[in-house]
Amino acid sequence: MTKNLVIVESPAKAKTIEKFLGADYTVKSCFGHIRDLDKGDNAIDVNKNFKPTYIIPKDKTSVVKELKEIAKKSETVWLASDEDREGEAISWHLSEVLGLNNKNSKRIVFHEITKPAILKAIENPRDIDKNLVDAQQARRLLDRIVGFELSPVLWKKVKPALSAGRVQSVAVRLIVEREREIIEFVSKSYYKVVAQFEFNDKKFNAELAEKFEKRDDAIKFLESCKGSDFTVESVEIKPSLRKPSAPFTTSTLQQEASRKLGYSVSQTMTLAQKLYEAGHITYMRTDSVNLSELAINSSKNEIISNYGDKYSKPRRYQTKSNTAQEAHEAIRPTYFNNQNAGEDNQQKKLYDLIWKRAIASQMSDAEIERTEVKIEISKNKKNFVAIGEVIKFDGFLKVYLEGNDELTEDDTESAVLPAMKKGDKPNNISITATQRFSKPAARYTEASLVKDLEELGIGRPSTYAPTISTILKRGYVEKENREGTKREYEIIQLKNDKIKAENKTENIGAEKNKLFPTDIGTVVTDYLLKNFNEIMDYNFTANVEKEFDEIAQGMMEWTKMLNEFYHPFHNLIDKTMKISEKVTGEREIGLHPKTSQPVFAKIGRYGPMIQIGDGANDVKPVFARLKKGQSIDTITLEEAVELFELPRILNDFEGKPVKIGIGRFGPYIQHNNKFFSLPKTDDPYEIEFERAIEIINEKRKAELEKVIMELPENIMVLNGRYGPYIAQNKENYKIPKGTDPKTLNLEKCLKIIGDAKSNSSPKKTFYKKGKK
């Protein structure tokens, strides 16, 4: 008989914990949630106070069976899932399914996987916190209701196979609104003036505070500087302190890992999860900046040991959020004396970032001496200003400097200035007026989107990564690199009392890993804003999060919260289904130059497209899909007309023409009544004949290797992307594991097909709706 069974979420976590416990403990993994809402019509019964029906997914039945068997033989079952709401819900589901009670089970929590933390948790068990469970249930049920009531509206009114969600749709709204702000922005030109001086053999720059909107004004200023003397009017030296940032929360880790390491939000969380489960860092889903006394003392010892007493300054940070509930501590190393950890290079880089940020948070301020020198011009009343900084004591900067997403081209790095005093006359080398242009707000990166979601109170540490993954996967947003365009700008320089102007070119608008809304994302956002404004309201979404927090604190009853939301929402769904019109985002962009037919950009059944003609005079409209990077909001008439250059015939091959076109499933090559998909790397408008033949031959070779055997009754045994399978009448059937496809015959194939058909279940609805 097993004395103690400890259940955690993952095998990696189980493996680490097992090292710390003796022979009396067996540690097993439940592999995450063992139950989920039924996908059938019994998922949520709104007529019975939102009673949920949970099922055990097929892939968890063997796990549950094993845990039940071991639990029956154990004296005590220790539920050791994570300490956030999801973890609490996992423990509750385990308790329900395994038939546990307060006598034979205990709930333990810890925010780091170390021996002292595990042993302390076992010494201080508690009951399952039903308030946390209810908060998780409320989120799960509300999101199911919103998603599965809104999605059918989109299928009918916009386009089939779309989806909506309480948090994801608001996140898409942020990206759509930012994109429109960028498109509508009108850039204005101005001239920035910088003078270069020399004093005591040291060169430095000084800038004019004023920017000139007009070229003539910039030239007029330069003219006024001819023959001028330049004198130091004042020197102001100000000491200042720079303080370290707080240790990481989930969102700040995601932002900084994006800025410094180029990691996506989901990549950061995957790596952090592995570091946590290996015992290297504390729990990675947290909105707290707090550090324990033990952590503060450990970091102090490490700082003094490595850098000396003067670099140590223990600090306690205050969490801004009143509802910080995901964990009790910030993300930090479990052992500060381990400066390196992780199984691979990516984990090691993330650990290094976490270690440096946590250590720096407990270090002394950096002492900066800031010098501002004003230089007067004898022939006009304006001043140049030179700013310099000297680090007198580096403090925490010895270890870490936080990144910044919001630097602009007007932000100049402070230099070290030569020692000057009032009355000194630095030698002017040149004065340059450079034409610059105002810029709109930057497009979102994953990191900056997380920052805004957090500031708006939308979502929680556990939801940022899944939200971004969802909107990307569902095609509402694309993460792209885009090449910039060339732009001319002017440089006007005064040197040796002569003014010279020259034009230069620069690349502008280049984007790397930025989030762009798709046309579908934009049209869906507009439709939801018009018909479901409350759901799309930032304050509403944030208030829902606060209500979840109140449920978690035992201040609100979860079914009451759902009831207050559901009935008005459900009535609005019914009303919108009846009265709202179908939307396509249609925009007339002009008349075809040859036929004078109207040209429209719109969303069609298969996505964004151009339509020529409106069906008038019995003339059938023709359609073309947009190229990658084009949008129905911005495409021009000329660009739209170019799309109808397809299909185009390249040449004859084997006596038959080779045709290039774009169809329902994307660009293709057509030859001898067969179609070959064009790889994403090939442009259908530019592909040449030789490359098309190469693709045809590659596809033919792959097709020959695909067929394992052909049998009567239209049955084929084929090699597929995920392994061999049986195909019959456009239906595919999985070959059972352990079966060699080459040993199949007609009889065996028919049996596999028959078994698969008998095991298939009819599609069901999602949950029982309430009465109207």
Side-chain angles (χ1 to χ4, degrees):
M1 183 174 185
T2 303
K3 194 168 184 182
N4 295 282
L5 170 63
V6 181
I7 304 177
V8 296
E9 295 97 328
S10 74
K13 188 174 173 182
K15 188 177 178 182
T16 306
I17 291 174
E18 210 162 27
K19 299 175 189 173
F20 307 137
L21 300 174
D24 288 340
Y25 291 84
T26 298
V27 186
K28 288 289 178 181
S29 168
C30 64
F31 296 89
H33 282 279
I34 60 162
R35 291 201 304 184
D36 196 7
L37 283 174
D38 188 1
K39 287 181 169 57
D41 57 4
N42 294 318
I44 306 167
D45 194 336
V46 298
N47 293 317
K48 291 186 179 177
N49 210 21
F50 298 91
K51 182 183 177 184
T53 297
Y54 292 105
I55 59 165
I56 299 170
K58 285 184 180 179
D59 62 344
K60 291 297 175 71
T61 51
S62 59
V63 175
V64 170
K65 184 181 177 183
E66 181 190 19
L67 292 176
K68 277 185 175 179
E69 289 173 356
I70 302 174
K72 282 179 183 177
K73 300 173 185 175
S74 303
E75 291 180 17
T76 305
V77 177
W78 303 81
L79 301 171
S81 50
D82 291 337
E83 60 178 337
D84 57 10
R85 295 172 193 170
E86 289 295 324
E88 205 70 22
I90 288 171
S91 282
W92 178 72
H93 284 296
L94 282 166
S95 180
E96 294 282 302
V97 171
L98 303 183
L100 306 177
N101 55 52
N102 290 341
K103 292 180 180 178
N104 64 2
S105 69
K106 299 179 189 297
R107 172 78 171 118
I108 56 172
V109 294
F110 38 85
H111 59 269
E112 61 181 55
I113 304 176
T114 59
K115 188 170 184 178
I118 302 301
L119 296 179
K120 184 179 178 182
I122 286 175
E123 289 169 6
N124 298 277
R126 62 167 172 82
D127 294 333
I128 290 172
D129 188 333
K130 195 58 170 56
N131 291 329
L132 291 180
V133 175
D134 288 344
Q136 188 273 344
Q137 283 196 110
R139 178 189 292 278
R140 184 75 183 90
L141 269 64
L142 182 65
D143 288 347
R144 168 67 71 92
I145 289 168
V146 170
F148 288 115
E149 290 234 351
L150 265 183
S151 296
V153 178
L154 297 179
W155 302 342
K156 185 176 180 180
K157 302 296 184 179
V158 184
K159 179 179 171 289
L162 296 177
S163 69
R166 182 182 59 84
V167 177
Q168 75 170 56
S169 297
V170 176
V172 175
R173 177 187 172 185
L174 279 169
I175 296 165
V176 167
E177 289 181 342
R178 177 62 58 84
E179 189 67 22
R180 286 207 168 123
E181 186 183 336
I182 291 167
I183 291 169
E184 292 167 7
F185 183 81
V186 179
S187 181
K188 292 183 179 179
S189 165
Y190 64 92
Y191 287 81
K192 173 183 175 181
V193 181
V194 176
Q196 187 178 46
F197 293 97
E198 186 176 29
F199 189 76
N200 287 343
D201 297 324
K202 184 173 178 59
K203 293 178 181 178
F204 66 96
N205 290 340
E207 188 174 330
L208 196 71
E210 182 181 351
K211 309 281 194 299
F212 296 108
E213 292 183 8
K214 296 178 181 177
R215 181 180 189 272
D216 289 348
D217 291 339
I219 292 176
K220 187 178 177 181
F221 171 76
L222 293 177
E223 289 282 1
S224 74
C225 291
K226 285 183 176 179
S228 287
D229 292 325
F230 298 89
T231 308
V232 174
E233 182 184 276
S234 65
V235 177
E236 189 175 3
I237 299 174
K238 291 181 180 178
S240 65
L241 298 176
R242 189 177 298 176
K243 297 180 182 299
S245 300
F248 284 129
T249 62
T250 301
S251 68
T252 54
L253 175 63
Q254 290 168 344
Q255 291 167 50
E256 195 74 339
S258 173
R259 283 190 288 254
K260 291 198 167 183
L261 305 176
Y263 293 170
S264 70
V265 167
S266 58
Q267 183 183 13
T268 297
M269 294 312 291
T270 299
L271 295 169
Q273 178 97 27
K274 289 176 180 176
L275 288 171
Y276 166 68
E277 290 175 348
H280 298 313
I281 64 169
T282 52
Y283 192 52
M284 65 286 155
R285 282 188 277 274
T286 174
D287 47 12
S288 171
V289 293
N290 178 49
L291 291 179
S292 67
E293 283 296 326
L294 178 63
I296 290 171
N297 290 331
S298 297
S299 61
K300 179 181 177 181
N301 293 336
E302 185 68 13
I303 291 163
I304 292 171
S305 172
N306 287 325
Y307 310 110
D309 285 336
K310 64 180 180 179
Y311 281 92
S312 173
K313 185 178 180 180
R315 303 168 189 265
R316 286 170 180 79
Y317 293 89
Q318 186 68 41
T319 301
K320 292 179 183 178
S321 169
N322 293 325
T323 57
Q325 43 76 32
E326 300 289 350
H328 301 300
E329 270 201 88
I331 303 168
R332 62 164 176 83
T334 50
Y335 296 104
F336 281 94
N337 58 345
N338 289 341
Q339 292 193 24
N340 302 290
E343 292 183 358
D344 57 36
N345 197 41
Q346 288 186 328
Q347 286 183 39
K348 287 174 182 175
K349 285 181 178 179
L350 189 65
Y351 179 83
D352 181 64
L353 195 67
I354 292 166
W355 186 89
K356 286 179 176 176
R357 175 80 165 228
I359 279 285
S361 76
Q362 299 301 303
M363 292 178 72
S364 303
D365 298 336
E367 297 173 11
I368 313 291
E369 187 178 84
R370 180 183 170 90
T371 303
E372 184 179 285
V373 179
K374 286 186 180 178
I375 300 172
E376 64 181 13
I377 309 164
S378 62
K379 291 191 176 181
N380 68 52
K381 296 180 180 179
K382 301 184 189 301
N383 288 330
F384 284 109
V385 178
I387 294 174
E389 277 190 356
V390 176
I391 297 174
K392 290 294 189 180
F393 173 63
D394 53 3
F396 76 93
L397 293 175
K398 196 172 193 73
V399 173
Y400 182 83
L401 177 62
E402 186 177 15
N404 191 340
D405 284 325
E406 297 172 2
L407 290 175
T408 70
E409 62 185 21
D410 286 334
D411 291 318
T412 54
E413 288 188 18
S414 298
V416 178
L417 300 176
M420 290 179 280
K421 63 183 184 299
K422 184 175 179 178
D424 283 339
K425 294 183 178 294
N427 176 47
N428 177 243
I429 299 169
S430 64
I431 302 174
T432 306
T434 305
Q435 187 182 20
R436 303 317 306 141
F437 300 85
S438 58
K439 288 183 176 182
R443 285 187 174 90
Y444 279 111
T445 60
E446 288 191 15
S448 60
L449 180 61
V450 166
K451 183 181 179 184
D452 277 10
L453 288 172
E454 183 181 41
E455 287 179 355
L456 289 166
I458 298 167
R460 285 292 180 264
S462 59
T463 65
Y464 302 136
T467 296
I468 291 172
S469 296
T470 298
I471 63 178
L472 288 168
K473 189 169 82 173
R474 292 185 174 162
Y476 290 146
V477 172
E478 292 175 335
K479 184 163 76 168
E480 292 185 3
N481 299 332
R482 291 192 181 176
E483 293 181 3
T485 56
K486 297 291 183 185
R487 178 176 67 189
E488 277 198 354
Y489 69 101
E490 186 180 30
I491 293 178
I492 310 168
Q493 189 175 71
L494 170 66
K495 191 170 185 178
N496 299 325
D497 280 347
K498 292 181 181 179
I499 294 176
K500 181 184 176 183
E502 65 173 319
N503 288 331
K504 292 192 173 184
T505 59
E506 61 184 346
N507 195 50
I508 63 159
E511 303 282 23
K512 185 176 181 182
N513 291 331
K514 293 294 180 70
L515 300 177
F516 294 82
T518 62
D519 286 329
I520 293 290
T522 301
V523 171
V524 166
T525 297
D526 289 343
Y527 179 81
L528 292 175
L529 275 169
K530 182 179 179 181
N531 295 283
F532 297 95
N533 187 55
E534 185 181 16
I535 295 293
M536 296 291 284
D537 184 77
Y538 299 131
N539 290 329
F540 166 79
T541 311
N543 287 335
V544 168
E545 295 294 345
K546 289 177 183 174
E547 289 181 338
F548 290 149
D549 294 335
E550 289 175 11
I551 294 167
Q553 294 162 23
M555 297 165 60
M556 179 181 283
E557 210 279 313
W558 72 282
T559 55
K560 178 175 180 288
M561 179 256 190
L562 288 178
N563 193 58
E564 288 176 354
F565 167 81
Y566 175 75
H567 295 291
F569 174 68
H570 181 67
N571 291 337
L572 181 58
I573 290 283
D574 286 345
K575 179 183 174 184
T576 306
M577 274 289 205
K578 291 173 184 174
I579 67 171
S580 76
E581 296 179 355
K582 186 174 175 66
V583 296
T584 62
E586 183 175 284
R587 179 174 72 94
E588 185 171 348
I589 54 179
L591 299 177
H592 193 282
K594 292 181 180 178
T595 67
S596 296
Q597 293 264 45
V599 181
F600 305 94
K602 60 190 282 189
I603 297 292
R605 182 174 181 82
Y606 303 113
M609 65 179 193
I610 299 298
Q611 174 183 323
I612 297 179
D614 55 7
N617 303 319
D618 295 325
V619 178
K620 194 174 181 181
V622 291
F623 305 92
R625 295 177 66 174
L626 271 65
K627 291 184 186 180
K628 186 173 178 63
Q630 290 181 330
S631 165
I632 61 173
D633 282 340
T634 57
I635 191 169
T636 64
L637 178 64
E638 184 183 1
E639 290 168 338
V641 171
E642 282 179 6
L643 297 174
F644 291 86
E645 291 175 1
L646 296 179
R648 62 190 181 100
I649 295 173
L650 299 181
N651 210 330
D652 281 2
F653 174 56
E654 298 175 347
K656 301 285 184 181
V658 175
K659 188 187 290 185
I660 308 295
I662 297 181
R664 176 181 169 185
F665 302 109
Y668 64 83
I669 302 169
Q670 183 182 356
H671 176 256
N672 197 19
N673 294 323
K674 288 192 175 182
F675 293 85
F676 307 88
S677 294
L678 210 60
K680 289 182 178 180
T681 50
D682 291 284
D683 187 330
Y685 294 89
E686 297 178 3
I687 187 171
E688 296 181 354
F689 178 67
E690 290 76 14
R691 172 60 179 149
I693 302 311
E694 186 182 327
I695 292 170
I696 290 171
N697 288 329
E698 285 173 359
K699 300 285 184 181
R700 284 176 174 178
K701 183 182 177 185
E703 193 67 29
L704 286 172
E705 294 171 350
K706 181 179 179 181
V707 179
I708 297 172
M709 68 176 70
E710 294 186 49
L711 297 168
E713 299 194 32
N714 205 24
I715 292 174
M716 297 180 80
V717 182
L718 304 169
N719 271 317
R721 184 178 176 186
Y722 303 107
Y725 66 95
I726 298 168
Q728 184 189 41
N729 300 328
K730 297 185 179 180
E731 294 287 341
N732 298 334
Y733 303 92
K734 190 176 180 181
I735 296 173
K737 273 187 179 180
T739 303
D740 184 348
K742 292 178 181 177
T743 64
L744 294 174
N745 54 31
L746 179 61
E747 183 183 351
K748 289 178 181 178
C749 286
L750 288 172
K751 185 176 186 310
I752 291 170
I753 291 168
D755 290 346
K757 286 180 176 177
S758 62
N759 290 333
S760 63
S761 55
K763 291 180 180 178
K764 297 178 180 179
T765 53
F766 300 113
Y767 60 90
K768 291 181 180 178
K769 293 184 179 181
K771 293 177 182 178
K772 295 180 184 177

